[in-house]
């Protein structure tokens, strides 16, 4: 079946530190992969995506590369800011009987202090 | 643009009560879906729809009903609420052929 596994949090970093949040997936075929971010009290927002192997998604200084050989989509940022504090979800698009829908990991809470 | 609108934002129910969580989108998206978010569990798919009149079950459909009579609306019904349904519920929509989903602000439901 389809599933997403991401590293457990919380992740606590100082401002300007390097961030990595690991994400691996199990899927039938080659799904599109996503990182969503949820700021406190808000819904989810798409952070970045990759639709095929070796694609690199990037946005707001965050990057993730679709690695088919390791079935991974790790999120990285070279220098985090306090405003990056949020919950980050890795997700894939799964094919259901009638169409596609997103399958999410459990989320990783990031807390950045100044 | 309103995007995806969920109502209510907060709700407290007694065990056994029924209610409908509303979701509306103004982007003419074909796909709509409902998720629940629980601590340590991430978001789990309840039901989804690929167009008016077409719905299907997701990972955790038990205890929930949906219908899709219009493109804009996708209500989620709890027929007899249980404490296990205490959660934050998110509605999402996306255009057919697109990979980006848009989420509502969520409904925080407590069943006592």
């Amino acid at each position: 079946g389809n599933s997403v596994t991401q590293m457990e949090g919380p992740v606590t970093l100082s401002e300007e530190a390097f961030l990595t949040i690991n994400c691996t997936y199990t899927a039938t075929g080659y799904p599109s992969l996503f990182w969503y971010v949820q700021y406190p009290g808000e819904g989810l927002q798409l952070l970045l995506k990759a639709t095929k192997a070796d694609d690199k998604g990037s946005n707001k200084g965050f990057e993730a590369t679709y690695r088919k050989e390791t079935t991974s989509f790790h999120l990285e940022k070279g220098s985090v800011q306090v405003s990056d504090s949020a919950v980050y979800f890795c997700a894939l698009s799964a094919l259901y009987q009638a169409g596609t829908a997103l399958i999410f990991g459990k989320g990783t809470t990031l807390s950045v202090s100044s | 643009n309103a995007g995806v609108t969920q109502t209510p934002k907060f709700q407290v129910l007694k065990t056994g009560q029924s209610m409908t969580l509303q979701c509306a989108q103004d982007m003419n998206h074909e796909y709509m879906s409902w998720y629940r978010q629980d601590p340590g569990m991430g978001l789990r798919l309840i039901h989804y729809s690929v167009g008016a009149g077409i719905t299907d079950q997701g990972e955790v459909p038990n205890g929930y009903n949906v219908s899709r009579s219009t493109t804009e609306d996708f209500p989620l019904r709890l027929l007899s609420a249980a404490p296990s349904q205490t959660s934050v519920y998110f509605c999402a929509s996306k255009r057919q052929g697109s990979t980006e989903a848009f989420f509502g602000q969520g409904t925080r439901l407590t069943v006592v």
Side-chain angles (χ1 to χ4, degrees):
Chain A
N2 299 298
S3 67
V4 175
T5 302
Q6 60 182 103
M7 63 186 286
E8 299 283 332
V11 174
T12 303
L13 295 174
S14 298
E15 207 165 24
E16 300 183 0
F18 183 85
L19 168 71
T20 299
I21 300 178
N22 290 337
C23 172
T24 58
Y25 67 90
T26 302
T28 312
Y30 303 106
S32 294
L33 301 174
F34 308 85
W35 278 100
Y36 277 81
V37 59
Q38 184 180 32
Y39 298 104
E42 298 185 9
L44 276 73
Q45 304 172 25
L46 178 65
L47 180 60
L48 53 84
K49 66 181 180 183
T51 57
K52 61 182 187 295
D54 300 324
D55 267 3
K56 177 185 283 188
S58 61
N59 186 25
K60 299 181 181 179
F62 291 90
E63 294 183 340
T65 301
Y66 191 142
R67 301 288 187 199
K68 186 179 66 173
E69 61 278 8
T70 55
T71 61
S72 64
F73 192 55
H74 305 321
L75 182 68
E76 296 182 337
K77 186 174 185 182
S79 177
V80 294
Q81 305 300 312
V82 172
S83 57
D84 294 326
S85 298
V87 182
Y88 292 82
F89 293 93
C90 185
L92 62 81
S93 61
L95 183 63
Y96 280 81
Q97 185 171 356
T100 60
L102 293 170
I103 298 294
F104 288 89
K106 294 184 178 181
T108 302
T109 299
L110 171 65
S111 178
V112 180
S113 58
S114 58
Chain B
N1 287 337
V4 180
T5 303
Q6 291 183 235
T7 55
K9 286 185 168 51
F10 301 93
Q11 182 70 50
V12 178
L13 289 179
K14 294 182 179 178
T15 298
Q17 285 185 316
S18 64
M19 81 159 293
T20 300
L21 279 62
Q22 302 292 344
C23 176
Q25 51 93 7
D26 62 357
M27 298 172 282
N28 204 32
H29 286 171
E30 296 87 354
Y31 281 53
M32 296 185 75
S33 51
W34 277 102
Y35 294 84
R36 59 177 290 173
Q37 183 180 22
D38 302 293
M41 299 295 291
L43 279 81
R44 292 180 291 169
L45 180 67
I46 304 171
H47 286 283
Y48 68 101
S49 169
V50 300
I54 307 171
T55 65
D56 195 14
Q57 297 179 352
E59 303 171 73
V60 289
N62 292 340
Y64 307 95
N65 283 345
V66 293
S67 60
R68 184 96 178 270
S69 56
T70 67
T71 300
E72 294 79 17
D73 301 301
F74 190 43
L76 179 72
R77 298 184 186 85
L78 285 71
L79 298 180
S80 179
S84 61
Q85 295 177 304
T86 294
S87 187
V88 181
Y89 292 85
F90 287 99
C91 179
S93 75
K94 77 178 185 75
R95 183 173 46 83
Q96 185 175 3
S98 171
T99 55
E100 181 174 1
F102 294 82
F103 283 79
Q105 298 277 59
T107 295
R108 184 175 294 275
L109 175 68
T110 301
V111 183
V112 298

